[in-house]
Amino acid sequence: MSALLTVDNIGISFGGLKAVQAFAVEMRAGDLRGLIGPNGAGKTTVFNLLTGVYQPNQGIISLGGRRLNGLAPHQITAAGMSRTFQNIRLFGDLSVLDNVRIACHLRTRSGLSATITRAGGQIGEERAITERAMELLAIFGLGDRVDEQARNLPYGDQRRLEIARALATFPKVLLLDEPAAGMNPQEKRALRELIRDIRRKFELTILLIEHDMGVVMDICERITVLDYGQIIAEGTPAEIQKNPAVIEAYLGTADAPGVRKE
Amino acid sequence: MLRMKARSLELSPPAWTILPRNLLALVVILAIAIMMHAWVRPAVGNYYNRVMMDVGINIVLAVSLTIVNGFTGQFSIGHAGFMTLGGYVAAATTYYGSQLLWSKAAFFGGTLSSNTAESVFSAGLLGGGDLLFVAGCVLGGCIAAGAGYVVGLPSLRLRGDYLAIVTLGFGEIIRVLLQASGPQVTRTADIAAKNPFELTTALGGALGFTRVPIYTTQFWTILFGGVTLLVAYRLKQSSMGRALLSIREDEVAAEAMGVKTTRMKVLAFVIAAFFAGMGGGLYAHQLGQINAGELGFMKSFDFVIMVVLGGMGSISGATLAAIVLTVLPELLRGVAEYRMIVYALLLIVMMLVRPQGLFGVREAWELIRPLTRRMFGSGAKA
Amino acid sequence: MTKFLQTLMDGISIGSLYALIALGYTMVYGILRFINFAHSDIFVLGAWLSFSVALCAGWTASGAPLLFPTWLWTVLIVVSVLGPLLYVVERTALPALRSSLGPRVPHALAGGFVVTAAVWAWVLVGLVFLARATTASASFRPLTGVVILVIAMGGCGLAGYLIERLAYKPLRAAPRLNVLITAIGISLFLQNSGQLKFLFGTQPQKMPELMENKPLAVVAGVAINRVDVIGAGTAVALMFALEWLVFHTRLGRAMQAVSYNTRVASLMGIDVDRVISFTFVLGSALAAAAGFLFVMKLPGALRQPADTGWVLLGLKAFVAAVVGGIGNIRGAMLGGLFIGLLEYFGVAYLRPELRDVYVFVLLIIVLLVRPSGLLGKATVEKV
């Protein structure tokens, strides 16, 4: 079987700063890959490139044979790639349920006239959306908090709600940006199980940015390491742990540059 | 693409079947409107009748603005521009239409459009003039919606205050252009002789468009207000409405979750402008004239104030604010010259004491729901 | 050619007034990020104060000076009675209120602001008497205009100070929309209280001529009037003064710092509240100067305080600020001149009845092509 997501040699620069250079990755259906690197290495920028928030200066991104370059973020989501955000971006004033239901919107068909007249199966569609959202929330253990405002959820719940929301778009590829950030050890353990679980249940291909090495080494099959916008290593967790370039990037050497640009 | 469809939601589409349940709300609105017009109007007298019509018109405007400012979080302060545009179109339609059809611009409506008829059932409920009036309002709404489309386009590039300024600028441009239009043609023979296209520029200029036959009654304001509320409510309860709300909350995240933010923003402007145009039609046919000079941005501010005072995105809040802010100046009439000063001070104090508006972002019933749930258990599903 | 020069001159002299008003909008926006819709009413206040003080000083048509205009009494009574009252409230009732109602109860009364306002008001009253004295003496009579200008600027500065302390300061952390609505509330308040009988009344007035408006020179058939020269000169001088203040003084640097990043500025030990107050005073004073110069140039244009024509003038000044790049002081000056010229050339060479359209069309074009204005800097949102 050929690759589902192919990223070939993409790069972007802001002003003179080359934020990401020659980034390439190939993921087959069902892969779970980690993307790690020190702060400011360009990991989130890669996500922004993949999801269309930024347009790459060069290179090709394709999903299931379809080229994604030049598409708007919502088109990429519709094509089957969804994401979470490092700095949680929930719809804070809206209810937990609505947060997930919004992500179902792109799979709906009712237009304005159907919405206003409630005709053409609009009611059934609403019901289907709600059921779907409730199911997802139940999986994420948020089933009893559906009416709460998203901003009032505890931090860990907000992170999980973001994943649930991303899943509601029916993605083939899921990009998780530091899902474990701010979680306690117990929550992190549960999160690992959850990611394995949803991967199986929804037949997902997952690309994961994470700082917590415990999580990354445990669940990822392959890992890509980024530093200064460039790939410095690629391999299985065991290989990465032994790779001298990775160790140097993380620990630094005596003459390592002290200041990194964000 | 095929695979995408396979992954989309299971639908049960009995295509374009309008269930009776969907029409029930409309029937209820219609019934209320007729009853208010038939029994409440004669009972309360002219003054209260007028205030109630004002309330209805302001509800149309405030609730429609809620769709842009409250739901979508785009900041429009040119709403009166759409109102003016729709009002002129509607007024010109009935005035010139009556002249062309019946050779004079007089009242040709039924009892539902009459503020003077003793009993509603003394004559026909609707007349030919009503058809013209409603057509005029809808046409006004459509033209305003077209303008709303144009005004909505900058929202794709501009955010926050900058967008606000553009909407304000558009409102002012509409005003000035209408004030610079040619004089109103008043002689029936002249109107018949003119090319209908020429009449579209004969909108009265600085004097405003006058001698508009009066059709607006409580019936129409309640009907239009009710429909506006119904549309806003159904929108908010739907996937489409939630997509609008998501733009207000976080545009980047909304886009990432597959919401076509650009399209939805323009759509919000178009819907809001449509109802504002209809509201303008009601306004013109209530006063018997419409003057762009009186509908400047201060009028737009009135509606923005209603939206914010009601709570961003709260339909019930905007409705309540529209009622309060229409009735309040009337109550203050007793203190004549201090009226607006008191109003202004109340506004300032309100912003200091309750900055989130009457209901915050929620609806009145959402504030009550937790109470009922506690009382009756959590049986009901959202 | 004559027409061209005449239009150019009108455009510049009105444009410099737009620029003066625009500066107030732009400075407040630069620091607090909100559109101060009450600013145009400060401009109106400046115009009416100038008129009122001129009457009080003895420039009436009948020749007899008004002994004491009612607004003067009002100001004195308000400041002398309300001041101590507020002070007592602050000392007694406010702490109790705050503990029961939470942090939203205004902190606006804090500090010596009541005393400052009172002293300020009394100084202004003293200046009114100075204006009477200069009017009465033959040799100092031409100086009265300067005194009136100072009074108008001081009075509006005081008004701006009070508005900021009482209405905007408690909303520092509130959503911007709320601040905007408060600004509209203030605007309505100023307009309608100005209409009260014992203040300025509901009648349009005619400003007395403080100086003989004779042409200084005639160039290519266009008369260059004394009022125009002095007016434009004053406006330019004020702009230079502001430029110096903002870019070459400690306080100006503090203003720049606050406008760049309020939180960091306060961490750096800048008294942000003081800087904001000062910005309002400065902006209001400039608007007052514009009001004074406006009625000097067009004495018959002193319309009733709530007339919508005023608001439109203010709005155009605001457009000038946006076109120049809001938050940018030099941009506001440039934008003001630009708008003035555009308006007058549009009226002279295109259709005069569309005079307001030109300005707003320009606004929309600028915002679409270059949203940050002619001299503004673009900002990018970080994801």
Side-chain angles (χ1 to χ4, degrees):
Chain A
M1 196 182 142
S2 67
L4 175 66
L5 174 70
T6 314
V7 180
D8 188 20
N9 195 27
I10 58 167
I12 189 172
S13 36
F14 301 111
L17 178 75
K18 285 177 179 162
V20 172
Q21 293 178 63
F23 182 84
V25 73
E26 217 166 74
M27 293 181 73
R28 303 202 309 177
D31 279 358
L32 204 172
R33 182 183 283 270
L35 179 60
I36 63 170
N39 282 328
K43 304 181 296 289
T44 297
T45 308
V46 168
F47 271 25
N48 285 337
L49 285 170
L50 292 183
T51 53
V53 176
Y54 302 145
Q55 289 300 332
N57 299 141
Q58 61 190 55
I60 294 167
I61 306 165
S62 73
L63 180 68
R66 183 179 174 202
R67 246 188 97 144
L68 299 184
N69 293 55
L71 294 187
H74 71 84
Q75 291 170 310
I76 290 178
T77 310
M81 183 147 61
S82 188
R83 71 177 291 185
T84 65
F85 292 91
Q86 181 184 1
N87 47 339
I88 300 175
R89 298 190 86 134
L90 289 169
F91 307 123
D93 280 338
L94 305 183
S95 72
V96 168
L97 180 65
D98 281 349
N99 265 274
V100 180
R101 287 200 288 185
I102 283 163
C104 296
H105 176 68
L106 86 155
R107 306 294 180 203
T108 62
R109 283 198 242 158
S110 298
L112 182 62
S113 49
T115 298
I116 290 168
T117 56
R118 294 205 163 157
Q122 194 262 352
I123 292 175
E125 198 174 73
E126 283 294 317
R127 201 174 298 132
I129 290 174
T130 307
E131 274 169 23
R132 164 86 183 158
M134 294 298 280
E135 269 170 39
L136 272 169
L137 286 169
I139 292 172
F140 282 81
L142 294 166
D144 52 347
R145 322 195 75 153
V146 287
D147 280 338
E148 262 176 67
Q149 277 191 320
R151 72 162 83 261
N152 295 336
L153 288 183
Y155 197 71
D157 284 354
Q158 291 196 12
R159 285 247 175 250
R160 278 183 291 139
L161 178 55
E162 269 223 328
I163 303 177
R165 189 180 66 173
L167 281 181
T169 65
F170 294 87
K172 288 175 252 178
V173 178
L174 181 64
L175 309 179
L176 298 175
D177 200 344
E178 300 199 21
M183 287 187 170
N184 61 37
Q186 202 183 340
E187 285 176 317
K188 278 179 186 168
R189 220 170 305 130
L191 180 77
R192 285 185 225 175
E193 288 315 309
L194 187 69
I195 291 177
R196 283 203 187 100
D197 238 33
I198 58 170
R199 176 193 179 194
R200 205 170 35 243
K201 205 173 271 170
F202 298 94
E203 299 166 16
L204 289 171
T205 310
I206 298 176
L207 183 61
L208 172 86
I209 295 179
E210 187 48 70
H211 273 301
D212 187 296
M213 286 308 138
V215 174
V216 177
M217 297 301 165
D218 179 31
I219 63 174
C220 296
E221 287 136 10
R222 294 196 76 80
I223 293 173
T224 302
V225 188
L226 213 57
D227 194 23
Y228 291 110
Q230 280 177 312
I231 295 178
I232 57 167
E234 204 273 342
T236 64
E239 287 164 11
I240 293 299
Q241 274 167 330
K242 283 181 234 140
N243 189 315
V246 177
I247 294 166
E248 190 189 308
Y250 268 90
L251 300 176
T253 51
D255 55 345
V259 185
R260 291 171 195 278
K261 282 212 168 132
E262 195 60 41
Chain B
M1 288 306 280
L2 265 176
R3 229 189 123 175
M4 238 182 74
K5 274 219 176 105
R7 281 170 167 258
S8 71
L9 291 160
E10 286 299 314
L11 301 175
S12 49
W16 289 98
T17 47
I18 300 178
L19 296 165
R21 212 178 95 191
N22 299 341
L23 285 176
L24 188 64
L26 212 57
V27 173
V28 170
I29 292 170
L30 210 58
I32 294 174
I34 292 176
M35 283 193 290
M36 290 290 284
H37 184 66
W39 292 299
V40 176
R41 173 190 58 88
V44 297
N46 280 337
Y47 173 71
Y48 289 101
N49 184 30
R50 207 211 73 229
V51 174
M52 285 162 95
M53 285 194 281
D54 287 345
V55 167
I57 295 172
N58 281 338
I59 286 176
V60 171
L61 270 303
V63 170
S64 59
L65 187 63
T66 297
I67 296 174
V68 173
N69 284 17
F71 290 6
T72 323
Q74 304 303 298
F75 191 14
S76 164
I77 47 177
H79 209 47
F82 302 127
M83 178 186 179
T84 317
L85 193 59
Y88 267 87
V89 172
T93 308
T94 37
Y95 178 79
Y96 288 132
S98 303
Q99 289 271 24
L100 289 170
L101 289 171
W102 302 297
S103 304
K104 63 174 176 176
F107 179 77
F108 292 101
T111 48
L112 284 178
S113 306
S114 166
N115 276 311
T116 48
E118 281 296 311
S119 162
V120 172
F121 305 104
S122 58
L125 286 177
L126 293 170
D130 295 312
L131 206 64
L132 196 62
F133 160 64
V134 172
C137 285
V138 172
L139 186 66
C142 291
I143 302 273
Y149 181 77
V150 177
V151 178
L153 287 179
S155 73
L156 310 181
R157 289 202 51 164
L158 301 173
R159 260 157 247 271
D161 295 348
Y162 288 111
L163 178 63
I165 301 158
V166 168
T167 58
L168 188 131
F170 264 113
E172 286 301 290
I173 289 174
I174 290 175
R175 178 182 68 73
V176 177
L177 288 180
L178 284 171
Q179 283 189 308
S181 62
Q184 187 173 354
V185 187
T186 49
R187 282 190 46 215
T188 314
D190 292 348
I191 294 169
K194 279 204 179 212
N195 175 351
F197 190 72
E198 274 177 282
L199 290 176
T200 57
T201 57
L203 295 174
L207 296 174
F209 199 87
T210 54
R211 306 186 201 186
V212 185
I214 289 169
Y215 282 99
T216 302
T217 54
Q218 268 203 50
F219 169 75
W220 293 112
T221 54
I222 292 170
L223 183 65
F224 282 29
V227 169
T228 313
L229 281 169
L230 184 69
V231 168
Y233 173 76
R234 285 191 169 171
L235 201 59
K236 199 179 182 189
Q237 297 296 315
S238 75
S239 189
M240 193 167 263
R242 286 191 296 269
L244 294 178
L245 290 168
S246 75
I247 297 173
R248 174 189 78 192
E249 293 294 311
D250 188 329
E251 206 174 322
V252 174
E255 179 82 19
M257 290 307 120
V259 175
K260 295 169 186 153
T261 52
T262 51
R263 222 191 103 196
M264 297 308 277
K265 280 196 276 188
V266 174
L267 185 72
F269 268 99
V270 170
I271 300 172
F274 176 78
F275 285 107
M278 300 252 282
L282 287 176
Y283 173 87
H285 291 89
Q286 184 199 12
L287 294 181
Q289 58 155 329
I290 182 162
N291 191 334
E294 288 158 15
L295 295 170
F297 52 91
M298 287 316 275
K299 192 81 181 170
S300 298
F301 286 165
D302 283 353
F303 306 132
V304 174
I305 289 168
M306 289 172 192
V307 172
V308 176
L309 221 50
M312 293 301 279
S314 173
I315 300 169
S316 40
T319 310
L320 187 61
I323 296 171
V324 170
L325 292 186
T326 315
V327 174
L328 190 67
E330 297 295 332
L331 293 179
L332 292 172
R333 251 178 218 287
V335 283
E337 58 180 327
Y338 293 95
R339 180 163 81 115
M340 289 308 288
I341 300 176
V342 175
Y343 177 80
L345 285 176
L346 280 175
L347 206 61
I348 298 167
V349 169
M350 179 78 191
M351 283 296 114
L352 287 170
V353 177
R354 199 167 164 77
Q356 73 274 38
L358 293 172
F359 298 144
V361 293
R362 303 222 141 180
E363 297 291 349
W365 56 86
E366 287 174 316
L367 295 175
I368 298 166
R369 197 160 63 190
L371 291 178
T372 55
R373 189 161 295 185
R374 213 170 299 149
M375 276 190 266
F376 306 113
S378 56
K381 211 158 79 173
Chain C
M1 190 59 193
T2 308
K3 189 181 173 192
F4 178 83
L5 278 181
Q6 185 64 50
T7 314
L8 187 71
M9 233 177 59
D10 286 342
I12 289 176
S13 60
I14 290 294
S16 59
L17 298 188
Y18 284 149
L20 279 181
I21 309 171
L23 284 167
Y25 279 114
T26 228
M27 285 194 292
V28 167
Y29 191 91
I31 288 186
L32 291 178
R33 297 277 179 276
F34 92 97
I35 305 168
N36 182 10
F37 272 105
H39 192 61
S40 70
D41 301 289
I42 297 285
F43 161 70
V44 180
L45 182 65
W48 274 93
L49 264 183
S50 309
F51 165 76
S52 198
V53 173
L55 279 199
C56 181
W59 295 84
T60 46
S62 56
L66 253 81
L67 201 62
F68 253 130
T70 31
W71 66 263
L72 199 61
W73 284 113
T74 316
V75 168
L76 285 181
I77 291 169
V78 167
V79 171
S80 311
V81 175
L82 204 66
L85 199 72
L86 284 178
Y87 192 74
V88 171
V89 168
E90 183 191 352
R91 285 295 135 127
T92 55
L94 218 56
L97 261 175
R98 199 170 298 150
S99 62
S100 62
L101 280 177
R104 265 212 307 282
V105 174
H107 295 262
L109 308 179
F113 117 91
V114 172
V115 183
T116 316
V119 171
W120 200 334
W122 281 102
V123 168
L124 287 177
V125 171
L127 282 174
V128 173
F129 281 94
L130 179 66
R132 293 175 79 140
T134 55
T135 311
S137 92
S139 48
F140 289 110
R141 201 172 158 88
L143 276 180
T144 316
V146 179
V147 181
I148 292 177
L149 175 64
V150 170
I151 295 172
M153 289 175 75
C156 288
L158 176 61
Y161 178 68
L162 289 176
I163 289 168
E164 197 276 322
R165 283 318 271 274
L166 290 171
Y168 296 150
K169 199 176 169 215
L171 290 172
R172 224 30 81 68
R176 276 193 292 170
L177 211 52
N178 290 51
V179 191
L180 185 85
I181 297 220
T182 308
I184 295 169
I186 303 250
S187 172
L188 285 175
F189 176 76
L190 287 177
Q191 282 175 17
N192 290 289
S193 48
Q195 301 252 59
L196 290 174
K197 271 197 284 298
F198 57 86
L199 288 172
F200 304 130
T202 50
Q203 294 304 311
Q205 298 283 357
K206 191 171 181 304
M207 179 75 185
E209 277 189 13
L210 295 183
M211 64 180 100
E212 212 183 330
N213 190 10
K214 61 183 175 202
L216 288 178
V218 178
V219 179
V222 180
I224 297 174
N225 293 320
R226 218 163 90 171
V227 169
D228 283 339
V229 172
I230 293 178
T234 313
V236 170
L238 283 170
M239 283 186 252
F240 271 112
L242 182 76
E243 172 94 11
W244 173 79
L245 193 73
V246 171
F247 293 103
H248 298 280
T249 63
R250 222 178 123 74
L251 192 63
R253 274 199 296 279
M255 280 172 69
Q256 285 176 292
V258 172
S259 122
Y260 190 72
N261 188 330
T262 311
R263 213 171 52 86
V264 174
S266 81
L267 290 176
M268 293 296 119
I270 293 172
D271 185 347
V272 172
D273 284 336
R274 237 187 95 216
V275 170
I276 292 174
S277 288
F278 183 73
T279 308
F280 269 87
V281 171
L282 206 58
S284 304
L286 290 176
F292 171 80
L293 295 175
F294 180 78
V295 288
M296 288 289 286
K297 181 168 166 55
L298 306 166
L302 197 61
R303 283 165 294 195
Q304 62 183 79
D307 192 281
T308 45
W310 289 116
V311 194
L312 202 63
L313 270 173
L315 210 57
K316 283 185 207 159
F318 173 68
V319 170
V322 176
V323 166
I326 198 152
N328 186 315
I329 286 174
R330 286 170 191 161
M333 300 177 191
L334 190 72
L337 282 179
F338 197 50
I339 292 284
L341 287 173
L342 176 81
E343 185 180 347
Y344 275 79
F345 274 97
V347 168
Y349 289 94
L350 301 168
R351 293 180 62 186
E353 68 269 29
L354 295 181
R355 82 187 284 161
D356 302 329
V357 167
Y358 306 126
V359 176
F360 289 109
V361 167
L362 174 79
L363 167 79
I364 289 169
I365 292 172
V366 166
L367 280 181
L368 286 181
V369 177
R370 213 183 138 76
S372 46
L374 295 175
L375 298 184
K377 279 202 192 75
T379 50
V380 182
E381 196 192 358
K382 197 166 182 287
V383 179

